[in-house]
């Protein structure tokens, strides 16, 4: 198999030196690009058109960030959004077109060629190796991402870093070092709201909707038990004092629920039966929130408020 193809499938790209080492010269590289057999993703960095077309925005960002960090070596660490993506944290409404890194060599801060060079303090021993490059620790990556984003976006990533095992103490200790950084005020709001029990972007955003529209904060991952005390199901949200259960109803969720050999309709049917059982056992109502509902915040909040009042 083509070694450049293997490199591109593994890391998302290959470089001009790697192409030269595999028998291409600069004329052959230009000819291959003109024939659209390769795609240039930045200067001296290439991949195959079918791989790039199939890559989602996160995968494209990961490839670009890896290429930039590998070229600059120990002069930089990936930071902000690029480090959060490398740590596998949830991201929502952040700019994935720009690679973020923090300089370790005293170079000035600037933005050029799709790369944001941050000037900050990060000792080499404070960074961690991940996927062949060095990145800032996950707590710092999540907080730095929040500094660049809205409160809602910051909450998504902060919920995610707690869900991935970071402790609240780690997060708050790191946040204390950033109190004078631009954007720290809205970051404090997100920190106050963050909850590691949230398992998805949709759950975090639904909680933010409740906060923004002054709805009662729901309990997360609420366990419903049968008469013998056995857990028969867990809902994303619940308002026990209002006798209301809640679920975030994203299409991706049904993909996760599918069993081998099942179609999407099978997962949907099983989920409907599960909901019926939970309502039967509790005698409570159920509200479902979809992606579309999150973009109609006022109307969705009014619907949830009516259900809270009616269910109580």
């Amino acid at each position: 198999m083509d070694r450049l193809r293997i490199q591109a499938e593994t890391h998302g790209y290959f470089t001009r030196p790697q192409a030269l080492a595999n028998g291409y010269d600069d004329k052959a590289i230009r000819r291959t690009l003109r024939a659209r057999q390769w795609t240039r993703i930045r200067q001296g960095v290439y991949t195959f058109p079918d791989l790039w077309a199939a890559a989602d925005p996160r995968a494209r960002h990961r490839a670009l960030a890896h290429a930039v960090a590998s070229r600059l070596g120990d002069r930089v660490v990936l930071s902000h959004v690029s480090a959060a993506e490398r740590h596998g944290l949830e991201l929502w409404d952040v700019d994935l077109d720009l690679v973020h890194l923090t300089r370790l060599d005293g170079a000035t801060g600037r933005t050029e060629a799709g790369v944001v060079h941050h000037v900050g303090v990060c000792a080499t021993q404070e960074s961690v190796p991940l996927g062949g490059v060095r990145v800032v620790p996950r707590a710092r990556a999540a907080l730095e991402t929040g500094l660049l984003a809205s409160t809602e976006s910051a909450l998504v990533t902060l919920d995610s870093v707690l869900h991935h095992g970071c402790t609240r103490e780690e997060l708050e200790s790191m946040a204390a070092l950033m109190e004078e950084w631009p954007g720290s005020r809205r970051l404090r709001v997100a920190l106050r709201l963050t909850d590691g029990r949230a398992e998805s972007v949709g759950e975090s955003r639904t909680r933010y909707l409740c906060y923004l529209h002054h709805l009662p904060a729901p309990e997360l991952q609420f366990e419903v038990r049968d008469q013998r005390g056995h857990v028969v199901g867990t809902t994303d949200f619940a308002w026990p004092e209002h006798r209301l259960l809640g679920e975030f109803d994203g299409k991706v969720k049904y993909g996760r629920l599918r069993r081998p050999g099942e179609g999407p309709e099978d997962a949907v049917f099983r989920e409907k039966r599960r909901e019926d059982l939970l309502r039967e056992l509790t005698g409570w109502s159920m509200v479902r929130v979809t992606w579309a509902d999150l973009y109609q915040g006022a109307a969705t909040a009014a619907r949830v408020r009516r259900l809270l009042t009616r269910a109580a």
Side-chain angles (χ1 to χ4, degrees):
M1 189 176 180
D2 185 346
R3 282 179 290 181
L4 295 179
R5 178 87 185 186
I6 295 172
Q7 170 69 21
E9 289 177 348
T10 303
H11 295 293
Y13 70 94
F14 60 91
T15 64
R16 175 179 172 273
Q18 288 169 332
L20 295 176
N22 278 271
Y24 291 85
D25 57 21
D26 285 332
K27 182 181 290 187
I29 291 173
R30 289 193 296 270
R31 186 168 60 248
T32 306
L33 288 168
R34 282 197 302 269
R36 299 184 179 180
Q37 294 175 327
W38 294 350
T39 296
R40 178 189 287 113
I41 62 175
R42 63 179 291 112
Q43 187 65 36
V45 181
Y46 317 101
T47 188
F48 292 85
D50 62 314
L51 298 180
W52 196 243
D56 63 19
R58 285 190 68 131
R60 291 186 176 194
H61 183 92
R62 190 180 312 125
L64 289 168
H66 192 282
V68 171
S70 296
R71 180 175 62 83
L72 293 174
D74 59 9
R75 289 177 287 172
V76 303
V77 292
L78 289 180
S79 60
H80 298 74
V81 176
S82 300
E85 196 290 320
R86 180 63 64 167
H87 280 291
L89 304 183
E90 296 281 14
L91 300 169
W92 176 77
D93 197 30
V94 296
D95 185 356
L96 290 174
D97 291 333
L98 294 173
V99 171
H100 291 263
L101 49 83
T102 293
R103 304 292 310 203
L104 303 180
D105 58 0
T108 57
R110 62 193 187 279
T111 300
E112 63 180 17
V115 180
V116 183
H117 299 254
H118 296 271
V119 177
V121 177
C122 182
T124 303
Q125 63 269 24
E126 293 174 349
S127 64
V128 295
L130 197 59
V133 294
R134 297 200 71 85
V135 302
V136 298
R138 58 187 176 181
R140 175 167 173 169
L143 290 163
E144 287 178 337
T145 299
L147 290 171
L148 301 176
S150 66
T151 301
E152 183 175 9
S153 176
L155 179 61
V156 167
T157 304
L158 293 176
D159 277 355
S160 178
V161 78
L162 286 181
H163 188 70
H164 279 69
C166 178
T167 67
R168 184 171 291 276
E169 290 71 24
E170 284 180 80
L171 208 54
E172 291 178 350
S173 176
M174 184 65 69
L177 302 176
M178 300 181 176
E179 284 187 347
E180 302 302 320
W181 294 21
S184 60
R185 179 173 298 180
R186 63 175 174 272
L187 194 58
R188 284 196 291 272
V189 175
L191 274 169
R192 192 169 69 248
L193 296 174
T194 192
D195 191 320
R197 292 174 296 173
E199 295 182 340
S200 69
V201 172
E203 291 178 34
S204 296
R205 292 190 60 205
T206 300
R207 288 175 42 249
Y208 184 75
L209 183 149
C210 291
Y211 163 77
L212 195 63
H213 293 276
H214 308 290
L215 294 169
E219 289 189 26
L220 304 186
Q221 309 309 320
F222 183 79
E223 295 181 342
V224 175
R225 299 174 181 270
D226 62 18
Q227 295 85 346
R228 294 172 296 177
H230 298 154
V231 176
V232 296
T234 304
T235 62
D236 297 332
F237 315 106
W239 293 264
E241 65 277 22
H242 297 275
R243 298 170 57 83
L244 182 65
L245 303 172
E247 290 275 76
F248 180 75
D249 197 2
K251 289 182 179 179
V252 174
K253 181 173 185 173
Y254 293 115
R256 293 200 308 264
L257 292 173
R258 284 172 63 181
R259 295 170 180 170
E262 280 191 338
E265 67 282 356
D266 299 309
V268 172
F269 180 70
R270 266 193 301 103
E271 180 65 9
K272 178 64 169 62
R273 291 191 63 181
R274 168 182 167 274
E275 177 185 323
D276 290 343
L277 176 61
L278 299 182
R279 287 193 286 107
E280 179 184 332
L281 286 170
T282 59
W284 298 2
S285 300
M286 170 77 79
V287 60
R288 287 187 173 273
V289 178
T290 67
W291 289 115
D293 291 332
L294 294 176
Y295 291 99
Q296 304 175 55
T300 300
R303 175 166 64 91
V304 174
R305 187 173 285 110
R306 285 195 301 272
L307 288 169
L308 287 169
T309 303
R310 185 189 307 164

